[in-house]
């Protein structure tokens, strides 16, 4: 099957690798333009571009796809299907109509729940018990197209955005290969998304990353996991920024933000309801450390408040 592939981050790169392994003909790869990254802010190709170049695939990196000139490289290809995974650009109807069998999207949620940019993080934040992959026949709406297949995965109490991302990336890669192998039947049986249960997964904002110790510990536990690795949950210690990378809720009560206990197992902090045991932390400019290493050489004691 002759394909065009559109994607940008690691999530999409896994799908591109799977399609290549399955023997599909990738006629063109679309991905976001190279962006500054790292300490030196050097222009860096996306993970999808890196995979494409490793396999000698042609790459197209338009800023937009609004004009006939921008759409021309796609219009020149007589492809069967376009596969889209976390591409980052909205595809106009004229582009959606180019492939003979349309455009398929690999979406990291159980649609119609968590349409939008950050479905993995929002599912963890909301305390969802499960999420998954939906293979969707794209239309011009925001993740509103008909569903071809749905693949469920549980969200464990230890999952953070990184671990859940990796599970869903592999699930999505497997799901799109399976969908292409049975595409006529899936398209014939495709189902519209339910009207009920629609939620939107807005892009994460850095201002969301500040920990409010007045909130219940179970909510902060989910927040810390959802914001790992980006943008990371943060508070302050003695006026300096402190990132919290891992924690879990425990019994305890006290003035929110107050340190209740400190030992090799973690640092227990009172919350609005219950307490949170911090197990992996990082001071501004420092390394990420487990609780034992973090406490070594620091004169912390119960009664100190975080976030002041």
């Amino acid at each position: 099957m002759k394909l065009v592939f559109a994607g940008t981050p690691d999530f999409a790169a896994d799908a591109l690798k799977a399609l290549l392994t399955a023997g599909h003909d990738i006629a063109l790869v679309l991905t976001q333009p190279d962006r500054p990254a790292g300490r030196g802010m050097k222009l860096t190709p996306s993970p999808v571009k890196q995979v494409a170049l490793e396999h000698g695939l042609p790459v197209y990196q338009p800023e937009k796809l609004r004009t006939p000139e921008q759409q021309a490289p796609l219009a020149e290809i007589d492809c069967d299907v376009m596969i889209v995974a976390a591409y980052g650009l909205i595809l106009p109807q004229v582009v959606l109509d180019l492939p003979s069998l349309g455009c398929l999207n690999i979406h990291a949620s159980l649609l119609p729940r968590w349409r939008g940019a950050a479905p993995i993080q929002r599912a963890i934040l909301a305390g969802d018990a499960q999420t998954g992959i939906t293979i969707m026949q794209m239309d011009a709406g925001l993740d509103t197209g008909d569903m071809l297949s749905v693949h469920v995965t549980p969200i464990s109490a230890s999952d953070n955005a990184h671990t859940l991302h990796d599970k869903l990336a592999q699930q999505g890669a497997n799901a799109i290969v399976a969908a292409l192998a049975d595409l006529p039947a899936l398209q014939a049986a495709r189902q519209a998304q339910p009207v009920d249960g629609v939620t939107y997964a807005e892009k994460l904002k850095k201002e969301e990353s500040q920990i409010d110790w007045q909130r219940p510990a179970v909510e902060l536990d989910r927040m810390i996991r959802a914001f790992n690795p980006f943008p990371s949950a943060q508070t302050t210690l003695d006026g300096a920024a402190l990132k919290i990378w891992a924690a879990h809720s425990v019994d305890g009560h006290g003035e929110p933000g107050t340190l209740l206990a400190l030992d090799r197992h973690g640092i227990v902090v009172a919350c609005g309801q219950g307490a949170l045991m911090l197990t992996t932390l990082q001071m501004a400019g420092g390394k990420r450390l487990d609780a034992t290493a973090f406490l070594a050489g620091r004169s912390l004691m119960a009664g100190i408040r975080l976030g002041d």
Side-chain angles (χ1 to χ4, degrees), residues 95-235:
V95 171
L96 295 174
D97 291 340
L98 288 174
S100 59
L101 297 174
C103 299
L104 307 186
N105 179 247
I106 310 169
H107 187 75
S109 82
L110 302 177
L111 291 170
R113 187 161 177 79
W114 304 127
R115 294 173 178 172
I120 296 173
Q121 295 90 340
R122 297 298 177 190
I124 295 174
L125 273 173
D128 290 0
Q130 62 183 21
T131 184
I133 292 292
T134 303
I135 302 299
M136 176 184 63
Q137 188 84 40
M138 295 180 69
D139 60 19
L142 177 62
D143 299 327
T144 56
D146 291 348
M147 300 181 295
L148 301 186
S149 65
V150 176
H151 310 264
V152 177
T153 193
I155 301 176
S156 77
S158 62
D159 268 325
N160 57 36
H162 176 74
T163 61
L164 188 56
H165 166 280
D166 288 355
K167 291 178 185 179
L168 292 174
Q170 187 58 57
Q171 187 178 48
N174 294 338
I176 193 61
V177 171
L180 290 176
D182 196 27
L183 189 56
L186 290 178
Q187 288 183 324
R190 67 197 212 182
Q191 295 183 334
Q193 294 184 33
V195 175
D196 296 330
V198 175
T199 58
Y200 290 93
E202 295 183 10
K203 185 176 180 180
L204 296 182
K205 301 175 183 177
K206 284 193 174 182
E207 50 265 34
E208 294 181 78
S209 66
Q210 292 301 314
I211 295 174
D212 177 2
W213 294 106
Q214 299 286 342
R215 293 171 60 189
V218 291
E219 291 184 7
L220 294 180
D221 174 4
R222 298 198 300 258
M223 172 190 173
I224 290 164
R225 291 188 289 117
F227 288 13
N228 180 355
F230 177 84
S232 73
Q234 301 186 41
T235 186

